[in-house]
Amino acid sequence: MEGYLGIDIGSVSTNFAILDKECNILDTLYLRTKGNPTQVVKKGFSILKTRLKSDCRIKGAGTTGSARRLIGKLVGADLIKNEITSHAVAALHFYPDTCTVLEIGGQDSKLIIIRDGIVVDFAMNTVCAAGTGSFLDHQAERLSIPIEKFGELALGAKSKVNIASKCTVFAESDMIHKAQLGVPTENIIRGLCEGIVRNYLNNLSRGKRIQPRIVFQGGVAYNVGVKAAFEEVLDSEVTVPGHAGIMGAIGVSLLIKDLVENKGKGKKGGFIGMEIQEMEFETKVFECKGCPNICEIVQIERDGKLIDRYGYRCDRWELLKTKDKFNKGHD
Ligand code: SF4
């Protein structure tokens, strides 16, 4: 049996998806990144290895997400792809008529506009936490309510209440104020779900036409309160895929499968396999003082060997890499 592995390494979670050649999902895994993408991938591989059937051979691997380049180089990925493409590919695979993808993850959010199966526009928010999952996590913690219950509670709200959701600090003080006024908790939670939607649309939708079919992805898509808030404000049905939280990983595994099968580029087998527990990875960060740009260079080594370096704005380090002089001082 052949498998195609997609890894989506985000700042909050790292997701794995393995597809077979008929695009059936063989396995998926969600782990918290906890600030250490290398360790979480090692852990993920050790779990997946024990669950994969012995006759399953990974024919290609791809990475996406904010640490895609680092992990892609470490594991020898055959493809390193941005999140916009990966999410769009996954949405179109399950819903070929997709025109809009709303994606809200732990610490960023994206809006992707698709027409006739092609991405024509997109926007990303990586700066403002108030339009992301961490905003809701924070408020759930503040209210001592499990985040998993947020959606159902929001749907049980009897009336609307506006919660200032421009940032977590405003939201907290407004929540306290509304609770002191006697507003029921469900109404406050509904207000928070509507707040995240308002914030998302204010940040990302300017100048963009959100048309159905609208597919909602990312971990926050499981929150039925946020889905309902989107449906109300957009006046349209919103589709949440069964694997909403791992669509990035599914997207990149679909892409790697296509690459290996149809273009044959993965056949050289860059992927180093699941046996990475014993390998030593090291990431060094240093400043190049070759000119006033002072680029921050990231250098990745596996078992003491340079496997990649990036962050430079000229070809200085590219040339040095070619000449294998990378250890001659980081000046
Ligand atoms: S990498 Fe190039 S652009 Fe960046 S600081 Fe060094 S010499 Fe300047």
Side-chain angles (χ1 to χ4, degrees):
M1 186 191 290
E2 291 165 358
Y4 299 90
L5 171 66
I7 315 168
D8 180 357
I9 316 100
S11 47
V12 174
S13 71
T14 295
N15 306 314
F16 304 78
I18 303 177
L19 305 187
D20 68 11
K21 61 179 181 172
E22 276 81 41
C23 297
N24 300 308
I25 295 174
L26 295 178
D27 203 354
T28 63
L29 181 64
Y30 167 98
L31 294 173
R32 289 257 166 192
T33 306
K34 292 181 181 167
N36 195 332
T38 309
Q39 278 311 315
V40 79
V41 170
K42 277 187 172 187
K43 185 178 173 188
F45 278 17
S46 70
I47 295 170
L48 289 169
K49 212 171 53 171
T50 59
R51 302 199 311 210
L52 270 182
K53 287 193 175 152
S54 56
D55 65 341
C56 182
R57 192 169 70 86
I58 300 297
K59 276 199 85 180
T63 57
T64 189
S66 53
R68 63 184 178 274
R69 176 145 189 184
L70 168 68
I71 297 302
K73 291 294 174 182
L74 291 183
V75 305
D78 305 284
L79 180 72
I80 297 171
K81 206 69 183 176
N82 65 69
E83 296 125 290
I84 299 295
T85 307
S86 303
H87 277 278
V89 164
L92 287 163
H93 173 73
F94 293 105
Y95 309 101
D97 58 343
T98 300
C99 282
T100 309
V101 177
L102 316 170
E103 198 273 344
I104 306 185
Q107 282 200 330
D108 65 16
S109 50
K110 306 162 197 73
L111 170 63
I112 309 171
I113 305 295
I114 298 170
R115 297 292 179 263
D116 299 321
I118 293 166
V119 174
V120 293
D121 200 3
F122 69 89
M124 275 183 83
N125 163 34
T126 53
V127 181
C128 174
T132 69
S134 63
F135 170 77
L136 283 184
D137 283 342
H138 192 74
Q139 307 318 324
E141 208 172 293
R142 183 78 184 72
L143 291 165
S144 302
I145 293 171
I147 186 67
E148 298 76 26
K149 295 201 171 154
F150 242 53
E152 292 297 338
L153 285 168
L155 292 188
K158 299 274 184 296
S159 61
K160 283 178 170 246
V161 60
N162 193 40
I163 302 285
S165 309
K166 275 207 167 148
C167 77
T168 50
V169 179
F170 284 150
E172 256 177 50
S173 60
D174 203 24
M175 263 177 12
I176 293 165
H177 175 63
K178 297 285 166 30
Q180 284 168 344
L181 292 176
V183 175
T185 307
E186 308 86 80
N187 296 9
I188 291 176
I189 292 173
R190 178 176 170 178
L192 287 168
C193 291
E194 288 170 350
I196 194 174
V197 166
R198 217 169 33 243
N199 212 296
Y200 173 94
L201 293 172
N202 283 344
N203 278 328
L204 299 180
S205 73
R206 266 175 243 154
K208 296 182 177 49
R209 221 165 132 225
I210 295 178
Q211 269 181 219
R213 177 190 295 260
I214 302 167
V215 180
F216 185 17
Q217 304 182 167
V220 176
Y222 296 121
N223 185 317
V224 288
V226 178
K227 175 181 182 279
F230 267 124
E231 288 181 328
E232 186 179 352
V233 73
L234 298 174
D235 193 22
S236 178
E237 190 186 334
V238 168
T239 304
V240 175
H243 293 285
I246 54 161
M247 291 292 268
I250 290 176
V252 79
S253 53
L254 287 165
L255 286 165
I256 189 66
K257 179 181 158 312
D258 179 59
L259 191 71
V260 172
E261 283 183 351
N262 300 326
K263 294 164 194 153
K265 287 184 187 163
K267 280 186 180 152
K268 68 179 173 20
F271 180 51
I272 60 170
M274 297 278 197
E275 317 291 331
I276 62 169
Q277 282 300 331
E278 307 307 321
M279 291 180 186
E280 288 297 325
F281 298 114
E282 194 174 0
T283 306
K284 295 174 181 166
V285 182
F286 60 91
E287 286 181 348
C288 171
K289 297 191 173 69
C291 82
N293 280 333
I294 313 182
C295 297
E296 194 172 72
I297 314 291
V298 181
Q299 178 167 302
I300 306 165
E301 294 175 16
R302 186 173 63 218
D303 288 339
K305 278 192 191 155
L306 175 76
I307 53 174
D308 195 26
R309 194 189 282 131
Y310 55 88
Y312 40 79
R313 283 189 243 173
C314 70
D315 61 3
R316 182 167 197 243
W317 293 95
E318 195 63 52
L319 290 173
L320 287 174
K321 182 161 71 174
T322 311
K323 291 174 189 165
D324 200 25
K325 287 181 180 174
F326 64 93
N327 275 333
K328 299 258 166 80
H330 301 150
D331 58 345

